[in-house]
């Protein structure tokens, strides 16, 4: 009788071993043409979106001439739409992009900027200011570069980037890296299209070095990354089949039966 139990134990052990597939694709950028792909990577800059907070500072050789164009130095309290002219220099010089895509700039009024890069807005403002100032210099900083990372990362949630040039690997690093159970070949990126205004979803494969050539390699503000679990974890969490249950319960039952036989011999 013990012979049959031994055979059954071996079969059950083999079933348990083969029910777990080995982990694959855990290495980033495994493509052999990595150096060639990196040389093709390009950064086009962030595009201004509705709700963005922009720090804008105007300077020129004539300091007095630029005062009306900086909220921190302009006279009066400012209007309700553009905010107060009092307070710290950083807070006073902050402009929020409206739902119409404008910022309300002193003297110039409404300036449309949605969809522009910072460089494009800088050039536009400097061109307008030349009517009032000799050789104006505009400095623009985005103060709310937020993005979200969900799923199989060690620290999910909304993150704030310390730099405006942020690629997908830096975003993952700010989230503590991927977990062992992450599917590195199918990372979902959710981004609002600048042209249609609708959300679009793209899939990115972190195991391929060619990802650095993707237009989605560098993140935009308000992007959402979702890291799905790999097949092994999905099966282990969602598999409610009777076969899976019988294997688990059968192993426990076999262990108990073996223990009883050993004690009664």
């Amino acid at each position: 009788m013990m012979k049959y139990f031994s055979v059954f134990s071996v079969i059950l052990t083999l079933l348990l071993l083969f029910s777990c597939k080995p982990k694959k694709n855990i290495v980033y950028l495994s493509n052999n043409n990595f150096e060639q792909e990196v040389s093709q990577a390009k950064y086009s800059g962030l595009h201004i979106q509705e709700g963005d907070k922009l720090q804008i500072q105007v300077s020129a050789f004539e300091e007095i001439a630029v005062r009306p164009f900086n909220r921190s130095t302009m006279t009066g309290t400012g209007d309700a739409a553009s905010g107060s002219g009092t307070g710290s220099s950083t807070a006073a010089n902050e402009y929020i992009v409206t739902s119409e895509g404008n910022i309300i700039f002193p003297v110039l009024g409404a300036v449309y900027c949605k969809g522009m890069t910072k460089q494009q807005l800088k050039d536009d403002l400097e061109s307008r200011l030349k009517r009032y100032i000799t050789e104006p210099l505009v400095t623009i900083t985005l103060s709310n570069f937020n993005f979200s990372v969900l799923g199989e990362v060690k620290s999910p949630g909304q993150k704030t980037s310390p730099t405006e040039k942020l690629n997908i690997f830096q975003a993952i690093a700010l989230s503590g890296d991927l977990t062992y159970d992450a599917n590195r070949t199918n990372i979902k990126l959710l981004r609002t299209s600048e042209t249609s205004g609708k959300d679009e979803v793209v899939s990115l494969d972190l195991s391929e070095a060619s990802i650095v050539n993707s237009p989605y390699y560098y993140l935009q503000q308000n992007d959402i990354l979702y890291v799905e679990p790999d097949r092994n974890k999905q099966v282990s969490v969602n598999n409610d089949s009777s076969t899976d249950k019988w294997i688990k319960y059968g192993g426990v039952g076999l262990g108990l039966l073996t223990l009883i036989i050993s004690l009664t011999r």
Side-chain angles (χ1 to χ4, degrees):
M1 183 175 181
M2 289 301 299
K3 178 180 179 180
Y4 295 108
F5 276 110
S6 299
V7 173
F8 183 69
S9 299
V10 172
I11 294 175
L12 183 61
T13 302
L14 290 175
L15 287 173
L16 290 173
L17 288 175
F18 285 104
S19 64
C20 299
K21 294 176 62 178
K23 180 72 176 180
K24 297 180 180 179
N25 296 318
I26 64 173
V27 179
Y28 299 128
L29 303 174
S30 58
N31 189 300
N32 293 330
N33 296 323
F34 174 68
E35 293 182 358
Q36 177 183 354
E37 297 292 351
V38 167
S39 67
Q40 299 175 2
K42 295 180 180 180
Y43 175 67
S44 61
L46 297 178
H47 292 265
I48 298 171
Q49 301 178 8
E50 173 187 339
D52 278 352
K53 297 179 181 179
L54 304 174
Q55 298 288 340
I56 303 178
Q57 181 74 33
V58 180
S59 58
F61 180 76
E62 298 178 3
E63 182 180 348
I64 296 179
V66 301
R67 287 184 179 179
F69 301 96
N70 289 315
R71 288 180 181 171
S72 58
T73 55
M74 62 185 294
T75 58
T77 59
D79 54 61
S82 60
S84 173
T86 62
S88 67
S89 175
T90 300
N93 289 327
E94 183 175 85
Y95 299 82
I96 300 178
V97 181
T98 67
S99 58
E100 290 80 19
N102 301 316
I103 56 172
I104 310 302
F105 205 81
V107 181
L108 302 180
V111 177
Y112 187 82
C113 61
K114 184 178 179 181
M116 290 184 178
T117 64
K118 290 195 308 174
Q119 184 62 46
Q120 290 172 331
L121 178 58
K122 168 184 166 69
D123 294 341
D124 183 34
L125 289 175
E126 289 178 348
S127 177
R128 295 170 186 253
L129 290 169
K130 285 179 180 178
R131 298 172 52 191
Y132 310 95
I133 308 171
T134 301
E135 296 184 359
L137 177 63
V138 175
T139 304
I140 304 175
T141 304
L142 177 67
S143 60
N144 66 327
F145 186 2
N146 299 322
F147 64 97
S148 300
V149 184
L150 306 173
E152 290 295 329
V153 291
K154 296 176 182 177
S155 177
Q158 187 179 72
K159 309 294 179 181
T160 300
S161 172
T163 176
E164 295 178 7
K165 186 178 180 181
L166 182 77
N167 64 48
I168 188 171
F169 292 103
Q170 292 171 317
I172 290 173
L174 289 173
S175 302
D177 201 2
L178 304 182
T179 66
Y180 179 78
D181 295 319
N183 182 357
R184 288 159 173 77
T185 64
N186 192 22
I187 308 296
K188 299 292 195 308
L189 172 63
L190 179 65
R191 174 178 296 177
T192 301
S193 172
E194 297 176 10
T195 55
S196 67
K198 298 180 180 180
D199 290 338
E200 58 180 0
V201 180
V202 296
S203 296
L204 301 172
D205 186 350
L206 301 188
S207 69
E208 291 291 335
S210 58
I211 189 176
V212 300
N213 198 35
S214 167
Y216 301 97
Y217 178 63
Y218 289 101
L219 267 62
Q220 296 284 331
Q221 63 272 40
N222 304 316
D223 277 355
I224 300 175
L225 289 174
Y226 171 64
V227 183
E228 66 178 21
D230 63 11
R231 182 64 178 171
N232 287 344
K233 185 168 184 180
Q234 292 183 40
V235 170
S236 65
V237 172
N238 299 318
N239 189 356
D240 294 326
S241 66
S242 59
T243 302
D244 183 61
K245 291 182 179 179
W246 278 112
I247 290 175
K248 294 179 180 178
Y249 298 148
V252 175
L254 179 63
L256 291 175
L257 184 58
T258 303
L259 177 60
I260 293 173
I261 294 174
S262 300
L263 294 175
T264 55
R265 288 186 61 182

